């Protein structure tokens, strides 16, 4: 007797705890094996780009916070870099140092969420709590500087909204000393845990040529073995003044570009970010942070593409100016949007439980994908 | 290689399909290409040994808002005619040079050839430009809406003369 077989469609989401937001994955299944994954996005679409056309340039900054809400500082940073490039203005060195300190602390905070929730998705709940405990300390530093815990409106075009409070440098240094041993703790708890490795190594392998063709950037591209980081390869701000390394995936637990590599690249990146923060805290010059903020931003007719290395990859702003105080068009190149597009390639041939593992290793933020 | 040198190479190879080299007052320069030849130009940029543009870094649709503006009685306005543009930012990870290409099409017949075959990255960005601006990408494998609901019939939100529809699925839209 011949058994009847057919492909089955299964919807994962939109309300699923491990889709990290409102995302629907349409799984085409052959038994429990994945034939294809079709993501359906747009549930959080709130027309950032259309809103921005009715705002003046400085008014857009709070909106950028709300795209990638786990890395708000870096969204503002990217927007400021793009508009300053269009205007052709220089900002004081102290401002650049403050931006780098905030940006790298934000990278650590964002990676902590990524790594913690990744462990929680796979079943390790303790590291998740440890990660949030440490992230809380970074949020307190941000609250001290900007007054807000998640959506800061701190980095403005031409400067930052206010100077660092007097105690900030001391507390930030204390955080660096506090956090360095915690990375080892996370390694002991999660990274080299046998169960975790079994669930992530050799799962969702992303070959380098596929990654480049799909425009993948950030930790995902580096995990596939390419040493590419805009902080080194297209330096902006004052990143060329610091000594740090770009980690790449080496397939230590399985194959280059698997989920474990994508996870571990983020761990090393946190160490490198700590190095940058430490150097910046020691070298930060005195100065006025408000002096370069333009009174009225009215760029000439033209267009510019400014990009920075966000915790998730290349965050780009394409701004078209028609010579008025409102931007004619702001197009965001969100790293999560681009990185999510490859999920079909990553999941083919794996099982349903591995979709969770692959999705967690991509580290998406739906607020940014849907804008 | 500089943008100007790449422009010369392209001009020699493709002739009239390469329309002009635009030097911007502010920001960056770009090369304007014919919308129906853009796939051939990109395929050449992708494969030629001197150029090797293996990475599409950004892809944007733009409403140029350059038609004839007609103001209605209620204060809203329409553009008669005018063009839509698509801007491609590409980069070579081997030679480390960058280039900006642009095409512009009439709003009445917004047909651009898809470059998804060359860079898979373009797939979702082209769907987004189709969704929000109504640019039609020929030869695209899967041209569906992406950010707006699949059954949205209220027009293309990023066009400058977009107006909210009265109702969506029986719900009143303007509030």
């Amino acid at each position: 007797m011949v058994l009847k077989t057919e492909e089955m469609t299964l919807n994962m989401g939109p309300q699923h705890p491990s889709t990290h937001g409102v995302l629907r994955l349409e799984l085409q299944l052959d038994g429990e094996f994945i034939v294809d994954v079709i993501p359906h996005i747009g549930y959080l679409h709130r027309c950032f780009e259309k809103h921005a056309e009715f705002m003046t340039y400085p008014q857009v900054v709070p909106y950028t916070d709300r795209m990638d809400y786990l890395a708000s500082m870096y969204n503002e940073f990217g927007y400021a870099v793009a508009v300053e490039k269009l205007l052709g203005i220089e900002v004081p060195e102290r401002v650049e140092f403050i931006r780098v300190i905030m940006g790298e602390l934000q990278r650590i905070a964002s990676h902590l969420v990524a790594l913690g929730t990744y462990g929680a998705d796979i079943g390790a709940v303790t590291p998740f709590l440890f990660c949030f405990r440490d992230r809380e300390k970074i949020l307190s530093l941000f609250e001290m500087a900007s007054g807000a815990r998640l959506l800061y409106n701190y980095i403005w075009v031409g400067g930052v909204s206010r100077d660092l409070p007097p105690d900030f440098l001391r507390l930030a240094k204390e955080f660096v000393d506090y956090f360095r041993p915690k990375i080892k703790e996370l390694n002991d708890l999660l990274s080299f845990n046998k169960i975790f490795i079994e669930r992530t190594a050799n799962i969702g392998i992303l070959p380098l040529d596929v990654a480049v063709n799909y425009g993948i950037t950030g930790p995902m591209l580096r995990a596939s073995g390419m040493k590419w980081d805009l902080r080194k390869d297209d330096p902006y701000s004052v990143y060329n003044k610091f000594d740090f390394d770009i980690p790449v995936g080496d397939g230590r637990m399985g194959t280059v570009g698997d989920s474990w590599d994508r996870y571990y690249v983020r761990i090393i990146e946190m160490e490198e970010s700590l190095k940058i923060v430490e150097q910046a805290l020691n070298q930060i010059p005195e100065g006025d942070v408000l002096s370069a903020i333009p009174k009225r931003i009215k760029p000439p007719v033209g267009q510019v593409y400014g990009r920075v290395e966000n915790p998730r990859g290349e965050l780009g702003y394409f701004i078209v100016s028609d010579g008025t105080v409102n931007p004619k068009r702001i197009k965001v190149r969100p790293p999560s949007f681009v990185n999510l597009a490859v999920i079909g390639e990553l999941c083919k041939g794996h099982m349903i439980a591995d979709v969770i593992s692959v999705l967690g290793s991509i580290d998406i933020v739906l607020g940014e994908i849907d804008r | 290689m500089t943008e100007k040198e790449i422009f010369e190479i392209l001009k020699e190879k493709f002739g009239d399909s390469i329309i002009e080299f635009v030097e911007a007052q502010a920001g960056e320069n770009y090369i304007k290409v014919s919308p129906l030849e853009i796939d051939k130009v990109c395929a050449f940029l992708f494969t030629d040994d001197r150029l090797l543009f293996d990475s599409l870094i950004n892809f944007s649709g733009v409403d140029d808002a350059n038609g004839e503006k007609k103001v209605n009685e209620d204060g809203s306005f329409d553009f008669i005619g005018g063009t839509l543009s698509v801007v491609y930012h590409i980069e070579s990870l081997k030679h480390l040079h960058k280039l900006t290409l642009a095409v512009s099409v009439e709003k009445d017949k917004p047909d651009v050839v898809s470059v998804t075959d060359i860079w898979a990255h373009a797939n979702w960005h082209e769907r987004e430009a189709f969704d929000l601006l109504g640019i039609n990408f020929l030869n695209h494998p899967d041209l569906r809406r992406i950010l707006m609901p699949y059954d949205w019939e209220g027009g293309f939100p990023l066009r400058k003369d977009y107006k909210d529809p009265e109702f969506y699925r029986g719900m009143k839209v303007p509030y």
Side-chain angles (χ1 to χ4, degrees), chain A residues 4 12 133 138 145 166 209 220 239 241 278 320 352 356:
Chain A
K4 182 172 165 280
M12 187 184 271
R133 177 197 64 196
I138 298 177
D209 54 333
M220 268 184 94
Y239 276 108
K241 291 198 170 151
E278 201 169 30
V320 184
I352 297 176
I356 311 279

Side-chain angles (χ1 to χ4, degrees), chain A residues 40 303 328-329 333 371, chain B residues 28 57 61 128 150 160:
Chain A
H40 295 271
Q303 58 180 31
K328 183 173 171 188
R329 171 90 165 98
R333 180 222 192 267
R371 278 160 288 150
Chain B
E28 55 205 22
I57 53 180
E128 190 189 312
Y150 293 125
K160 292 284 181 185

Side-chain angles (χ1 to χ4, degrees), chain A residues 106-177:
Chain A
Q106 182 74 82
R107 189 183 307 278
I108 296 171
S110 170
H111 281 352
L112 280 173
V113 177
L115 303 174
T117 53
Y118 190 30
D121 285 348
I122 287 180
V125 180
T126 316
F128 170 75
L129 298 172
F130 281 31
C131 287
F132 270 65
R133 177 197 64 196
D134 297 338
R135 172 172 177 259
E136 195 60 33
K137 294 193 189 305
I138 298 177
L139 297 191
S140 301
L141 285 172
F142 287 162
E143 189 176 8
M144 201 178 155
S146 69
R149 285 164 45 77
L150 279 178
L151 307 165
Y152 310 107
N153 191 13
Y154 184 65
I155 296 174
W156 287 355
V157 176
V160 292
S161 69
R162 64 204 84 179
D163 205 351
L164 294 175
D167 241 7
F168 184 90
L169 294 182
R170 183 179 64 80
L171 290 170
K173 272 181 196 145
E174 266 179 35
F175 171 77
V176 173
D177 294 335

Side-chain angles (χ1 to χ4, degrees), chain A residues 10-313:
Chain A
L10 183 74
N11 276 309
M12 187 184 271
Q15 309 292 342
H16 189 280
S18 55
T19 53
H20 295 262
V22 204
L23 163 72
R24 179 159 70 96
L25 294 176
E26 188 185 324
L27 309 180
Q28 305 284 354
L29 298 172
D30 176 10
E32 211 191 323
F33 291 94
I34 309 286
V35 178
D36 201 2
V37 178
I38 305 159
H40 295 271
I41 61 174
Y43 292 91
L44 290 178
H45 183 50
R46 54 221 186 276
C47 312
F48 162 75
E49 290 170 5
K50 186 74 176 174
H51 272 302
E53 290 174 11
F54 294 93
M55 299 289 145
T56 62
Y57 286 88
Q59 281 175 337
V60 176
V61 173
Y63 285 92
T64 64
D65 280 339
R66 284 149 180 83
M67 288 192 301
D68 182 350
Y69 41 76
L70 295 178
S72 300
M73 279 291 184
Y74 234 103
N75 292 357
E76 298 167 1
F77 196 171
Y79 179 71
V81 165
V83 178
E84 282 157 14
K85 200 169 160 192
L86 183 63
L87 291 169
I89 54 174
E90 291 278 320
V91 297
E93 198 160 52
R94 183 175 175 84
V95 171
E96 297 285 22
F97 271 80
I98 293 176
R99 286 178 179 178
V100 167
I101 292 169
M102 294 300 177
E104 294 309 309
L105 286 175
Q106 182 74 82
R107 189 183 307 278
I108 296 171
S110 170
H111 281 352
L112 280 173
V113 177
L115 303 174
T117 53
Y118 190 30
D121 285 348
I122 287 180
V125 180
T126 316
F128 170 75
L129 298 172
F130 281 31
C131 287
F132 270 65
R133 177 197 64 196
D134 297 338
R135 172 172 177 259
E136 195 60 33
K137 294 193 189 305
I138 298 177
L139 297 191
S140 301
L141 285 172
F142 287 162
E143 189 176 8
M144 201 178 155
S146 69
R149 285 164 45 77
L150 279 178
L151 307 165
Y152 310 107
N153 191 13
Y154 184 65
I155 296 174
W156 287 355
V157 176
V160 292
S161 69
R162 64 204 84 179
D163 205 351
L164 294 175
D167 241 7
F168 184 90
L169 294 182
R170 183 179 64 80
L171 290 170
K173 272 181 196 145
E174 266 179 35
F175 171 77
V176 173
D177 294 335
Y178 161 84
F179 186 63
R180 199 161 268 145
K182 299 293 174 200
I183 295 177
K184 186 177 175 301
E185 193 180 79
L186 190 59
N187 276 339
D188 291 342
L189 265 176
L190 189 59
S191 312
F192 299 107
N193 179 306
K194 180 88 170 93
I195 304 169
F196 181 71
I197 292 169
E198 290 290 322
R199 283 295 306 275
T200 54
N202 287 324
I203 301 292
I205 297 160
L206 177 62
L208 185 58
D209 54 333
V210 176
V212 171
N213 201 248
Y214 269 88
I216 306 295
T217 47
M220 268 184 94
L221 179 65
R222 292 193 279 279
S224 293
M226 182 154 183
K227 217 175 178 125
W228 179 261
D229 188 317
L230 295 177
R231 290 174 294 170
K232 285 263 194 216
D233 292 297
D234 189 4
Y236 52 94
S237 194
V238 284
Y239 276 108
N240 48 12
K241 291 198 170 151
F242 305 118
D243 171 37
F244 62 103
D245 209 24
I246 307 297
V248 290
D250 52 6
R252 200 187 311 176
M253 294 299 159
T255 318
V256 176
D258 61 8
S259 295
W260 193 86
D261 270 349
R262 286 196 283 279
Y263 164 89
Y264 199 64
V265 159
R266 292 193 175 94
I267 294 259
I268 310 176
E269 262 180 35
M270 291 202 297
E271 284 175 17
E272 298 301 326
S273 291
L274 277 182
K275 269 194 214 166
I276 299 174
V277 173
E278 201 169 30
Q279 292 171 49
L281 287 172
N282 288 329
Q283 295 172 20
I284 185 166
E286 290 297 321
D288 184 2
V289 297
L290 300 170
S291 60
I293 296 178
K295 292 276 175 297
R296 186 155 178 264
I297 298 181
K298 204 176 166 187
V301 179
Q303 58 180 31
V304 77
Y305 179 70
R307 54 182 188 167
V308 292
E309 185 77 27
N310 175 285
R312 285 169 187 78

Side-chain angles (χ1 to χ4, degrees), chain B residues 149 151 167-173:
Chain B
D151 59 353
F167 289 96
Y168 169 62
R169 287 189 170 185
M171 294 177 284
K172 202 165 176 333
V173 175

